[in-house]
Amino acid sequence: QVQLVQSGAEVKKPGASVKISCKASGYPFNSYYMHWVRQAPGQGLEWMGVFNPGPSRTTFAQNFQGRVTLTWDTSTSTAYMELSSLRSEDTAVYYCARSPSAGNDYWGQGTLVTVSS
Amino acid sequence: EIVLTQSPGTLSLSPGERATLSCRASQSVDSYLAWYQQKPGQAPRLLISGASSRATGIPDRFSGSGSGTDFTLTISGLEPEDFALYYCQQYGGSSWTFGQGTKVEIK
């Protein structure tokens, strides 16, 4: 069955970077886009960006341009999201989510990132 | 960036009642719209894609309609497990966006 398993919770200081992993199984890894979505405490969902494995192309939401890096390791079927220059407003649960091009049909369990001095 | 506005913010209904949730886009997204359900502490679950196609395993009391800029999610006969947050999402452009959500709560 399809599974997306994310890395564990992180606590970071302002200005630092965080890198979250998302290990996929149960489907052909390179055949689906991988999106990243975050949710601040008590807030709604915010789309961050997407990795298209075909042409190895990334697209980001305007809010995250220049701060987010999405990478992909085919050998381990793992996607990564790195967010830099962290600030307190980046405290959130971060999700990876697969897309067959029409919505996100499978999601990781979420990774809580806390930014605090 | 395409902005999605959901209404109402909160819907207070009783089990068995019909729920009608709205999502309006700032520009046309054709039928590139999805709906999700989210419960506390859980990841979102895809309900509808392509504005009206139910995802695998979604009960037929959930239905979606609309195209262009105006969309509706209808839950015909609320079950206890349907009280949750609902989000719309557009994927018509290179950047995807979510609406701010509608909470369906027990009256």
Side-chain angles (χ1 to χ4, degrees):
Chain A
Q1 72 281 22
V2 174
Q3 278 195 305
L4 300 176
V5 180
Q6 298 183 223
S7 49
E10 303 262 11
V11 179
K12 296 291 183 181
K13 293 195 181 304
S17 296
V18 67
K19 190 171 185 177
I20 299 169
S21 66
C22 171
K23 184 170 176 58
S25 60
Y27 71 96
F29 185 60
N30 286 339
S31 297
Y32 291 80
Y33 294 22
M34 189 70 79
H35 296 249
W36 292 85
V37 175
R38 77 176 184 181
Q39 187 169 37
Q43 303 300 308
L45 302 169
E46 183 177 22
W47 185 82
M48 299 177 68
V50 58
F51 185 95
N52 179 349
S56 291
R57 186 168 63 222
T58 53
T59 303
F60 301 107
Q62 208 166 353
N63 283 351
F64 297 97
Q65 295 276 1
R67 276 215 302 149
V68 172
T69 303
L70 302 183
T71 54
W72 194 262
D73 184 344
T74 300
S75 68
T76 60
S77 299
T78 302
Y80 298 90
M81 187 281 295
E82 183 170 18
L83 182 62
S84 62
S85 302
L86 290 169
R87 34 204 188 236
S88 58
E89 310 90 88
D90 294 318
T91 293
V93 174
Y94 290 78
Y95 294 101
C96 59
R98 186 186 86 158
S99 169
S101 81
N104 300 110
D105 59 353
Y106 284 91
W107 294 65
Q109 82 278 18
T111 296
L112 175 62
V113 174
T114 303
V115 182
S116 174
S117 54
Chain B
E1 177 183 284
I2 298 173
V3 176
L4 298 179
T5 302
Q6 292 187 239
S7 62
T10 302
L11 205 47
S12 299
L13 295 167
S14 301
E17 288 193 294
R18 180 187 190 93
T20 303
L21 287 67
S22 174
C23 177
R24 177 165 288 180
S26 59
Q27 63 189 75
S28 177
V29 298
D30 294 324
S31 294
Y32 298 120
L33 190 105
W35 289 94
Y36 297 84
Q37 178 193 69
Q38 188 180 33
K39 296 180 179 178
Q42 296 184 16
R45 177 173 72 143
L46 179 65
L47 300 174
I48 301 282
S49 64
S52 60
S53 298
R54 270 188 304 276
T56 302
I58 301 304
D60 60 7
R61 64 180 180 272
F62 291 92
S63 63
S65 63
S67 66
T69 61
D70 289 298
F71 301 88
T72 301
L73 173 70
T74 302
I75 312 170
S76 61
L78 283 163
E79 297 287 342
E81 62 268 27
D82 298 337
F83 291 92
L85 269 165
Y86 291 84
Y87 294 94
C88 58
Q89 176 201 52
Q90 67 78 24
Y91 49 95
S94 57
S95 285
W96 295 16
T97 50
F98 288 94
Q100 82 279 16
T102 290
K103 181 179 181 181
V104 178
E105 65 176 22
I106 299 176
K107 186 174 181 180

